[in-house]
Amino acid sequence: MMASSYSAKDEDGHITVSGPGGGTLRNKKPENTAFKQQRLPAWQPILTAGTVLPAFFIIGLIFIPIGIGLYVTSNNIKEFEIDYTGDDTSSPCYNCAKNFSWNNTKSCTCTIPFQLDQPYESNVFMYYGLSNFYQNHRRYVKSRDDSQLNGNIDSLKVGASSPMASRKKKKPSKECEPYASIDNKPIAPCGAIANSMFNDTLKLFYNDPNGTSVPIPLTSTGIAWWTDKHVKFRNPVGTNSNLTAVFQGTVKPVNWHRPVYELDTDPENNGFINEDFIVWMRTAALPTFRKLYRIIQKKNNMAPTLPRGNYTLVVDYNYPVRSFEGRKRMILSTISWMGGKNPFLGIAYITVGSVCFFLGVVLLVIHHKYGNRNNSANISN
Amino acid sequence: NDRSFNLSHGYANNAIRTSKYSIFTFLPLNLFEQFRRLANAYFLFLLILQLIPQISSLSWFTTAVPLVFVLSISAVKDANDDINRHKCDRQVNNRKVDVLMDGQLKNEKWMNVQVGDIVKLENNEFVTADLLLLSSSEPLNLVYVETAELDGETNLKVKQALTATGELEDNIEALAAFNGEVRCEPPNNRLDKFKGTLTMNDDIYALDNDKMLLRGCTLRNTEWCFGLVIFGGPDTKLMQNSGKSVFKRTSIDHLMNILVLCIFGFLGFMCAIMAILNAFWEASEGSLFTVFLPREAGIDAHLSSFLTFWSYVIILNTVVPISLYVSMEVIRLGNSFFINWDRKMYYPKNDTPAQARTTTLSEELGQIKYIFSDKTGTLTQNIMTFNKCSINGKAYGEQLCLRKQMITLVDFSWNNLADPKFSFHDHSLVEMVRSGNPETQEFFRLLSLCHTVMPEEKKEGELNYQAQSPDEGALVTAARNFGFVFRSRTPETITVIEMGKQVIYKLLAVLDFNNVRKRMSVIVRGPEGKLTLYCKGADTIILERLDPSCNKLMKLTTNHLNEYAGDGLRTLALAYKDLDESYMKDWTQRHHEASIAMEEREEKLDELYEEIEKDMMLLGATAVEDKLQDGVPQTIEQLAKADIKIWVLTGDKQETAENIGYSCNMLREEMKDVFFVSANTAEGVKEELLKMCPEAAEEPSVTTSRGGLFWVEKMETVQDEKVDGEYGLIINGHSLAFALEKNLRLELLRTACMCQTVICCRVTPLQKAQVVQLVKKYKQAVTLAIGDGANDVSMIKAAHIGVGISGQEGMQAVLSSDFSFAQFRYLQRLLLVHGRWSYIRMCKFLGYFFYKNFTFTLMHFWYAFFCGFSAQTVYDEWFITFYNTIYTALPVLGLSLFEQDVNDRWSLQHPQLYTPGQKNQYFNKKAFVRCVMHSCYSSLILFFIPWASMHDTVRDDGKDIADYQSFALLAQTCLLIVVFAQLFLDTYYWTAINQLFVWASIAVYFAITFTMYSSGMFLIFTSAFPFTGTARNSLNQPNVWLTIFLSSLLCVLPVVAFRFILIQLRPTINDEVRAKARKEALPAPAPRRTLKKRITRRSGYAFSHSQGYGALVMSQKFLLKGHMRRLALFDHRDSPMVQNQPQHYRTITEESESQSP
């Protein structure tokens, strides 16, 4: 495809004649620059057999190994998934799901036993997955107030106390409606996204072969993007360093059990910078998604993080999804350099590579059969 | 000269305003103008939609920023134009002129000059307003003016004041006391006409155009003159004439309008689908999901789907990109500049470069199917040389060019006033003259007397003639060289040096030329007191008015005339008549009466002229050679190879036209047959037309198709019929008048289109336009008219593209043309190189532009299936804002300004490359549909590859990456890279500028993205840039890049494969030439082949002497064409001022008067 041809400076065809009347008259002869005469040197690629065919073969040859590599990598990732929605009568969570009501103050707990066939090495990541949950719905996506979440104290002020103040946007953004305020008190954090935050609690126990059930330590920090945690989300800094005091005068979102300043005991993980909250606030692109819930840190010794054996998942069932036919899942996964388990890329690369190779052959045949015909191109003059 | 009295009449003062806006009205007026454009109004509507919160799926700035961008570009352009106009106005308004006020001259600004003022002009000054010439410094109150600004002609014209006012001279007191009343017609735009009377001291004087100095003229060779302001400022003929020009649109424009409507339909369709699906979704899932996403109060599923419709209108509006029209304008402008800059279309002799006067038509140059060409001055040089003559039945002049070598040039050294450039090859004529042969002497005396040439004698013996038309100049020069030197003239006398003796003739009347009379006469009184009328004119006219006594001579001369015509010479017949003293007196009296008549002045004068110009004695005939321009045959050959049909429409005689046809390669010996149509009745014409194709169907096949989309616009197309062999058709004006009738014109068109060459001779300017319109209407082909004279103006305006030759004959054609250059041969470069490039560029641009925007937009469509049809966008809003205006604007412009598939040499080498443009092959509805399909495919790939690879996946540190923002970033990056990859495939000609644009755009994209997604921007404008950190967090992931790579490759590879297969299996001419161009070195510039000089032995044809133009003019048919606004000249002997004369004079409805006490 690379043919370089530089058009030579061609002579003009005219004899240059100075303008009539000598040099006083302005000569209107256009300037002889490559730009104005459209003679800029240029690279003129052409699709020829010499460039197209090798390109196809080379692409094929490159793609297939990459694809195989990706596929193998993806296959080496271990992933375990449990659906605990509980709309099946046999499911341990059936009762919790059935009896769910928003007024329940006492959470319903269900335990799900499961078995890992393979030991999980290195760090293991624990996700919760939701399906049919439209976090990408337009009205949902915009139902948040970024300046409130960034610690803008004005967005936490009482709204319509004075008309002047309200005009100056000193209340949660109106995008948060209808979750902006209750009884003239602003909701912190406001909006439908925050309101619908995932609030099941998942705990993991390892059932030792000798009968004891050992709780597995789950790390709840380091699960959000650094930029989110440190830039995008900030707790409001009032006169008081106490979060409780800062959020004074606000109300918790309707669906929440606890106000935002009681999400965690750790001050670095409380309020708006609670990482569970941050992860939830990063809305998913598709209606089926998974979000990082906890990290199971690798132990120091040589033993695998999660050895083979029986485990129990204990769920505090707070989050209703049955009403909109959603599903809830718990996923345990290891990762690789290319992220989580996703065989698509590998397969796609292999396919595209093979198709390229095949196309290359087809084009070669076509070229051999017909191509020579127009090499002897007879363009009449 | 009372100012206040004149002012009380409320005439317009002399200030002019051509600007459209003032500072205060600019913004509202300009915005109003701009929003009158459909596209801008549409985007304003979108902007309003976006302000409704329930609907707004995008922030307001996504539309507002591009809209403001586009509007401000146009506004700046308009403002700039207007400022220039303001400046120009101010400069003109502030020019100084001497005004006679209160008995003395005062220097005043132009804008303060009032109607009724008397102004004094000096040499080389511009005429302030339309003035009535009162007196001048020159003898006999003559002034010389140059009318370059009015009609572009640079030769001098004479104006003469009334003798009565001329007596005032420069007597200030007398002028100040000047008291008269001028009654004249209301202001109008006819440059050549003025009617009025001056009442002074109870005497009534007729005023006509000769006494008017029009604004825009320049005074020359005149020391000073005084004039009375008749019309000021906006009432002047110049301002009245600066008219609205017809706005021409290209066929691509029409196609675009249809496509845009289609796209609107498509948009509505998509939105409707979205709305319906949204209704379903809301009913089945959305209502359940209200647990987490409650609806707003008062909105149920149905209303929500209605709102969704509008939301999608906003989101998907990018299928009709706001910048499309602006970009198209920019591309056309660029191509026009390239035309202006082309050195190969620069003519050094006149220092005239080619000029694109209209910047909106460039791509249509690549689609020309028919060229209508004038002959004189276009194909020919319009440099006349006196070549042959026939005096008293004896022919003189070179006998063909066979004996050229043997004949030495005639030596004119005996005549010290001879023009050294003149050459003549027949000695016998000189001998005849010197021997004092009376007929011969009379012959040359006529030539030296009967003309309107102005002499200029700068030095003694160095005469210079200012002729209004070149053949007149040639004739006078000839007379000069044969010893009848026209020396000088005054309005009442002509000084001629006859064989060395000075003779002064008294000029009694000039019966001027016009295109109806086709002759001019002078009545002179010789030194001995003999009254003689000398007449020269078109042979047919003169021969009709001869005394029966010279019948025998007439026959001889006619033979000579036919011979001359056969040689392609322009002929004139000369005659004289001795007049009776008493008759003359009577005639003069009647003439005076007629010439001051306010009504039907023309008609009365014509009658008088007719009366006196009869029973004349034939003197002989002249033949003037009209040389072909350089390279005309080659150009015509090239254009013919490019499958462009050339029709010559000329006012010349059939024989002359035919000969020119042969000499410039239009008619060829190897043609199977050349048909002549010259019948005098409709039936006859039909018969002759049908004779050519007896086997053809009785009725021409007309296909009627519905044009447009929604308009009920019937388009009738005459189908081309295949013919074997090459034919030529020659039709004369008289037959053409019949053939253009409703019932015959399809027949004519069908026949004409079967012929390779069509020559219409003896046609009037109106017929030229009619022929062009006929072809335009029934062939749906793009037409180009080329001409140089005022008689081509109507044709130039009627055709899709008008080209003016800025040659010898004034600037009228150029002024009304779209493109102009100096030589006919540049036409091949204009069409085959520039036109082709422009067309290719525009087509590539459109194809690519639609591809890129459809791909961009359709992604939203696919995404809708995953976001509950909620009108969520796939991309960041800022990306939507910048996509067309910043990220892709420049590379596209680069493609469409610099693209060349093959360079100019190859384009000229292979004229066949031009044909795809004629057939509209590069961009039509089919291409558009292909383009849409392609972008559907691309958008599917671009959406589902990222979808599949992001689905349920995480980053390499386990954190989230399948979130909306990362997905948006991935999708938009993929899109941009694919779009650039496609650009890469489409571009054939990669200049450094293209490279720069593309790489800079990519760099700018990443720079802007990283900036916008940086923490700093977020902290400053928290709510405007919510995508903080997305770029940083997702673009460092290997699988993101793998996805980008995969999707771009998947979009590009099929295209490459498809194009490769096409090249292999069905290579187009372009592919072949490109391949050839690659293999071979540049072709050497085609050697200018000197065409074999044809020995013109065509006099055989010339004997079929056909009916002349004059008869046609007289016939009813001709006169019935009522609206002949621009009946221009048939021949070129008169000033173009007369050429605008309308056939019917409007009666004066209103009399404006002006008084000077």
Side-chain angles (χ1 to χ4, degrees), chain B residues 180-458:
Chain B
E181 182 182 319
V182 175
R183 292 179 159 269
C184 63
E185 56 191 357
N188 58 47
N189 61 0
R190 295 194 297 265
L191 291 176
D192 53 314
K193 279 283 147 59
F194 179 80
K195 275 201 300 192
T197 54
L198 170 70
T199 317
M200 199 172 76
N201 308 332
D202 300 329
D203 287 332
I204 299 182
Y205 301 94
L207 300 179
D208 61 16
N209 200 35
D210 271 352
K211 295 164 184 69
M212 294 298 291
L213 295 180
L214 298 182
R215 181 178 183 140
C217 303
T218 322
L219 208 59
R220 298 274 187 226
N221 296 349
T222 310
E223 224 169 275
W224 50 260
C225 74
F226 282 93
L228 175 72
V229 180
I230 303 283
F231 299 127
D235 288 342
T236 56
K237 306 231 173 197
L238 176 68
M239 299 311 292
Q240 298 262 328
N241 241 332
S242 54
K244 314 90 207 167
S245 53
V246 196
F247 189 65
K248 290 182 180 175
R249 311 201 61 134
T250 65
S251 52
I252 293 261
D253 273 329
H254 289 292
L255 180 62
M256 280 296 302
N257 286 342
I258 294 169
L259 288 184
V260 165
L261 280 174
C262 286
I263 293 171
F264 276 138
F266 184 56
L267 174 68
F269 176 67
M270 285 200 295
C271 293
I273 291 182
M274 288 291 111
I276 292 164
L277 289 175
N278 179 262
F280 281 119
W281 187 86
E282 288 286 347
S284 64
E285 309 210 5
S287 50
L288 303 174
F289 194 57
T290 44
V291 190
F292 290 128
L293 183 62
R295 296 213 180 92
E296 280 166 58
I299 296 180
D300 62 355
H302 300 292
L303 185 56
S304 140
S305 77
F306 175 73
L307 293 179
T308 304
F309 179 83
W310 294 109
S311 302
Y312 268 106
V313 168
I314 296 174
I315 285 201
L316 301 179
N317 82 70
T318 38
V319 283
V320 189
I322 194 162
S323 50
L324 175 67
Y325 288 96
V326 183
S327 308
M328 278 172 81
E329 292 304 308
V330 172
I331 292 163
R332 288 175 180 158
L333 189 70
N335 282 322
S336 313
F337 272 116
F338 281 129
I339 290 172
N340 291 348
W341 285 335
D342 195 335
R343 278 164 78 89
K344 287 179 188 159
M345 299 207 307
Y346 167 80
Y347 190 56
K349 266 188 209 150
N350 298 357
D351 191 27
T352 31
Q355 199 188 0
R357 299 173 44 86
T358 314
T359 55
T360 53
L361 296 174
S362 55
E363 83 268 6
E364 195 138 84
L365 286 175
Q367 299 185 277
I368 305 290
K369 185 85 184 134
Y370 288 90
I371 291 179
F372 298 91
S373 173
D374 175 39
K375 186 187 76 68
T376 316
T378 308
L379 300 177
T380 56
Q381 280 178 354
N382 206 18
I383 293 174
M384 304 292 166
T385 45
F386 180 78
N387 213 314
K388 291 179 190 179
C389 60
S390 151
I391 302 170
N392 203 15
K394 189 171 185 309
Y396 300 93
E398 54 185 313
Q399 302 300 311
L400 305 178
C401 38
L402 293 172
R403 286 188 280 143
K404 200 172 185 175
Q405 310 303 322
M406 290 172 271
I407 295 172
T408 50
L409 292 182
V410 175
D411 183 19
F412 289 111
S413 52
W414 52 273
N415 183 350
N416 54 1
L417 284 168
D419 188 344
K421 282 183 293 236
F422 185 82
S423 59
F424 198 76
H425 302 281
D426 198 338
H427 292 280
S428 57
L429 185 57
V430 185
E431 280 147 29
M432 284 296 272
V433 176
R434 300 190 80 172
S435 67
N437 177 303
E439 280 87 10
T440 316
Q441 294 217 346
E442 196 73 349
F443 180 89
F444 286 111
R445 186 171 296 128
L446 187 150
L447 287 185
S448 65
L449 288 173
C450 179
H451 53 76
T452 54
V453 172
M454 293 302 300
E456 229 181 358
E457 193 163 6
K458 286 194 180 119

Side-chain angles (χ1 to χ4, degrees), chain B residues 55 142 147 163 173 213 341 352 434 522 569 576 582 588 605 607 647 672 679 711 792 798 908 937 990 1110 1131:
Chain B
I55 290 176
L142 286 178
T147 54
T163 341
E173 288 86 58
L213 295 180
W341 285 335
T352 31
R434 300 190 80 172
V522 288
L569 304 175
Y576 76 100
S582 56
T588 316
L605 284 178
E607 262 171 50
W647 293 27
K672 222 167 159 190
W711 307 283
D792 307 314
L908 289 174
Y937 166 77
W990 281 93
D1131 207 336

Side-chain angles (χ1 to χ4, degrees), chain A residues 10 12 37 138 282 380, chain B residues 341 343 870 905 912 963:
Chain A
D10 36 356
D12 248 332
Q37 301 307 317
R138 177 166 60 88
R282 182 153 282 279
S380 54
Chain B
W341 285 335
R343 278 164 78 89
S870 60
R905 290 258 183 81
Q912 305 94 312
D963 64 304

Side-chain angles (χ1 to χ4, degrees), chain B residues 468-743:
Chain B
Q468 310 241 358
S469 79
D471 30 4
E472 195 158 52
L475 291 175
V476 179
T477 310
R480 166 179 167 183
N481 282 31
F482 283 103
F484 286 79
V485 185
F486 165 62
R487 190 71 182 265
S488 65
R489 71 154 72 222
T490 65
E492 269 126 38
T493 59
I494 295 175
T495 311
V496 180
I497 299 178
E498 284 182 9
M499 309 306 291
K501 305 198 295 284
Q502 176 161 321
V503 184
I504 295 174
Y505 290 89
K506 208 160 182 296
L507 184 62
L508 296 179
V510 177
L511 285 61
D512 207 355
F513 180 90
N514 71 27
N515 53 314
V516 184
R517 289 163 35 75
K518 295 171 58 52
R519 60 188 184 269
M520 88 167 274
S521 307
V522 288
I523 302 173
V524 292
R525 187 191 295 276
E528 306 92 40
K530 202 177 104 193
L531 278 170
T532 318
L533 179 137
Y534 291 109
C535 180
K536 70 173 180 191
D539 42 6
T540 42
I541 305 272
I542 300 284
L543 295 180
E544 278 169 19
R545 289 173 175 72
L546 288 182
D547 194 77
S549 64
C550 48
N551 264 350
K552 202 175 145 214
L553 177 61
M554 195 167 110
K555 235 176 228 162
L556 272 172
T557 313
T558 308
N559 284 351
H560 289 148
L561 279 170
N562 288 340
E563 245 170 66
Y564 298 156
D567 288 347
L569 304 175
R570 292 162 74 109
T571 55
L572 279 179
L574 311 178
Y576 76 100
K577 177 188 182 184
D578 291 325
L579 290 174
D580 201 10
E581 190 74 46
S582 56
Y583 173 76
M584 187 61 208
K585 207 170 179 184
D586 171 49
W587 189 85
T588 316
Q589 177 61 32
R590 284 187 289 147
H591 180 247
H592 181 70
E593 274 167 27
S595 62
I596 58 168
M598 288 296 281
E599 275 155 45
E600 293 177 355
R601 186 185 290 173
E602 311 285 301
E603 288 82 349
K604 284 183 185 166
L605 284 178
D606 274 350
E607 262 171 50
L608 276 172
Y609 291 167
E610 198 68 32
E611 180 194 314
I612 199 162
E613 287 169 337
K614 62 182 184 198
D615 300 332
M616 296 183 289
M617 304 296 292
L618 185 65
L619 267 176
T622 59
V624 173
E625 190 188 354
D626 194 1
K627 281 187 179 156
L628 276 187
Q629 285 189 5
D630 280 354
V632 166
Q634 290 89 336
T635 303
I636 287 179
E637 200 187 329
Q638 283 275 53
L639 294 177
K641 268 191 207 155
D643 211 9
I644 300 173
K645 295 202 166 143
I646 303 174
W647 293 27
V648 173
L649 309 177
T650 174
D652 274 319
K653 283 169 62 174
Q654 182 174 323
E655 295 77 29
T656 318
E658 189 195 336
N659 236 293
I660 294 288
Y662 275 105
S663 59
C664 60
N665 229 1
M666 293 186 61
L667 297 170
R668 283 178 291 272
E669 304 277 11
E670 60 274 18
M671 276 190 168
K672 222 167 159 190
D673 208 345
V674 177
F675 297 100
F676 296 94
V677 178
S678 53
N680 277 334
T681 56
E683 288 74 35
V685 171
K686 185 167 186 184
E687 215 167 86
E688 292 197 34
L689 283 175
L690 283 174
K691 189 174 69 192
M692 301 177 48
C693 41
E695 76 281 6
E698 190 64 26
E699 284 298 307
S701 59
V702 175
T703 49
T704 309
S705 62
R706 258 165 217 281
L709 190 69
F710 303 114
W711 307 283
V712 188
E713 180 187 321
K714 264 165 63 177
M715 286 201 286
E716 291 176 72
T717 315
V718 175
Q719 295 297 306
D720 269 330
E721 281 169 48
K722 274 270 161 265
V723 275
D724 47 338
E726 294 183 323
Y727 292 94
L729 173 73
I730 296 175
I731 183 164
N732 70 14
H734 204 70
S735 309
L736 198 60
F738 292 109
L740 286 173
E741 295 278 293
K742 213 169 179 67
N743 48 351

